Amino acid sequence: MKALCWQGVDELTVEQVPDPRILNAQDAIIKVIASTTCGSDLHLLGGYIPMMKSGDVIGHEFLGEVVEVGSEVRRRRPGERVVVCSIIGCGRCWPCRHDMWSLCENSNPTSGITDLLWGGSTAGIYGYSHAMGGFRGSHAEYIRVPFADHNAFPVPDDVEDMDALFASDAVPTGWMGADLGGVRPGDVVAVWGCGAVGQMAARAAVLLGAERVIAIDRYPERLRMVERQADCEAIDYTATDVDAELRERTGGRGPDVCIEAVGLEADSAGPMRVYDEVKQQLHLEQDRPIAVREAIHACRKGGSVFVLGVFTGFVDKFPLGALMNKGLTLRGAQQHGQRYIPMLLDRISKGELKPAQMATHTMTLDDGPRGYDMFKHKKDGCVRVVFRPS
């Protein structure tokens, strides 16, 4: 079959790879209908994610049709159109039973790596390095889905492919940031980053009753999109002092909830961007926590900060004093998608969420390298590229 493969830093190729097959009785084989780029994929291309190997198939956000199931699969059947959560959960371990699916104790066969890196095992993720299980990704014609009963969700007939696709990752990730960030009716919420996840976090905050939602980015087309998509306010961080602007808009107090949806390659208009990039390139720190720092400083006393962006290791100049002395709550997680996907598909069906608007470009897998170049460099107003196998 045809697949988009990682060959090294900023190098992708389209290759022929063996078709997937059932390996365990709870597996399903999915024929991919559509798969999309994700900002976290750019960390793979930049060489920031450890344990990648030449030839690894990338991609983790996808929609498809069930074509084969293992002997112990009970809920899924061939012919179903399903959206598959990017995080793999077994459904039986303690974290899965407590709806903390990204902490699954059974889905990552190489969990010893994350034990060493982070002091604990995490779930497997499609196409996201051998530290996260070495699973083949979704930028392919077919994909094997382990624990299919718990990870593949049937799509209602009235939900279009492009809307359902983003229920795999971007929509539940954004929703989780607002939910676990503790957004309540009447809150003021600030979201750093207006990619797909940030836009969904902003929209989720609105639906959860926030009085005001303020999204922060620098790309005009993204700022316009989030204003339209999430019905919120927007700040261009290159045109103003974000901290001062947030305090002005909140009567000097700061947002109740701050959601970071940028990750380890965060940008800034100030000197900290140069400082962090130099330290990162010299391997004196692994990640650039610019947006996290800003969120902690801007958040009101006693407020909540939730980190949605992907981080891998150590950072410099972390404002622990501000966190402690302001009495903030800091949380973060990879998405617990299985907790949210059925509810989100229902909201999409009702028209409360319209994620298809984020699919600014559609291509075939053959154009995968060009699509990622466009996505990485934000060419032609690109927010997300959707790949169809042919």
Side-chain angles (χ1 to χ4, degrees), residues 338-370:
Q338 292 86 342
R339 178 174 180 167
Y340 300 108
I341 289 173
M343 175 270 293
L344 294 171
L345 287 171
D346 184 58
R347 286 182 179 269
I348 291 171
S349 177
K350 293 175 180 176
E352 296 176 2
L353 294 165
K354 299 177 181 179
Q357 299 176 49
M358 298 182 297
T360 53
H361 297 76
T362 302
M363 303 179 180
T364 66
L365 268 182
D366 290 321
D367 290 321
R370 181 171 68 89

Side-chain angles (χ1 to χ4, degrees), residues 81-270:
R81 185 175 59 133
V82 295
V83 61
V84 179
C85 184
S86 63
I87 302 289
I88 304 169
C90 73
R92 295 192 301 270
C93 67
W94 190 92
C96 286
R97 287 186 286 107
H98 288 80
D99 264 347
M100 297 184 289
W101 295 80
S102 67
L103 307 178
C104 178
E105 296 172 338
N106 295 319
S107 65
N108 184 351
T110 57
S111 59
I113 298 170
T114 58
D115 282 333
L116 180 63
L117 287 174
W118 304 320
S121 62
T122 57
I125 303 177
Y126 300 101
Y128 214 72
S129 88
H130 293 265
M132 310 308 290
F135 293 95
R136 278 190 188 170
S138 61
H139 293 334
E141 295 177 286
Y142 295 88
I143 186 170
R144 179 177 72 93
V145 172
F147 306 110
D149 281 339
H150 300 287
N151 297 295
F153 297 86
V155 177
D157 291 340
D158 60 351
V159 174
E160 299 291 334
D161 286 352
M162 284 296 190
D163 283 315
L165 169 60
F166 292 101
S168 172
D169 188 300
V171 181
T173 300
W175 192 279
M176 182 185 72
D179 179 33
L180 299 189
V183 174
R184 294 178 295 184
D187 278 349
V188 176
V189 179
V191 180
W192 275 256
C194 294
V197 170
Q199 292 190 34
M200 288 296 100
R203 181 59 180 160
V206 170
L207 291 173
L208 289 172
E211 181 177 317
R212 297 178 72 181
V213 178
I214 305 164
I216 303 151
D217 207 296
R218 68 185 173 105
Y219 294 99
E221 61 276 8
R222 294 187 175 209
L223 293 169
R224 288 192 297 269
M225 183 179 286
V226 76
E227 286 178 313
R228 182 179 68 249
Q229 166 95 332
D231 191 24
C232 71
E233 305 168 40
I235 293 176
D236 178 351
Y237 68 75
T238 66
T240 188
D241 181 309
V242 171
D243 187 73
E245 184 72 20
L246 288 172
R247 293 187 190 284
E248 176 69 23
R249 298 191 188 193
T250 58
R253 191 176 69 167
D256 300 288
V257 178
C258 294
I259 301 171
E260 191 276 351
V262 182
L264 64 88
E265 295 182 77
D267 207 343
S268 167

Side-chain angles (χ1 to χ4, degrees), residues 308-351:
L308 282 179
V310 171
F311 289 85
T312 63
F314 299 99
V315 300
D316 190 19
K317 300 292 187 293
F318 182 80
L320 185 58
L323 179 74
M324 181 267 172
N325 286 288
K326 289 171 67 178
L328 302 181
T329 298
L330 176 66
R331 297 186 69 178
Q334 294 275 9
Q335 64 135 340
H336 306 312
Q338 292 86 342
R339 178 174 180 167
Y340 300 108
I341 289 173
M343 175 270 293
L344 294 171
L345 287 171
D346 184 58
R347 286 182 179 269
I348 291 171
S349 177
K350 293 175 180 176

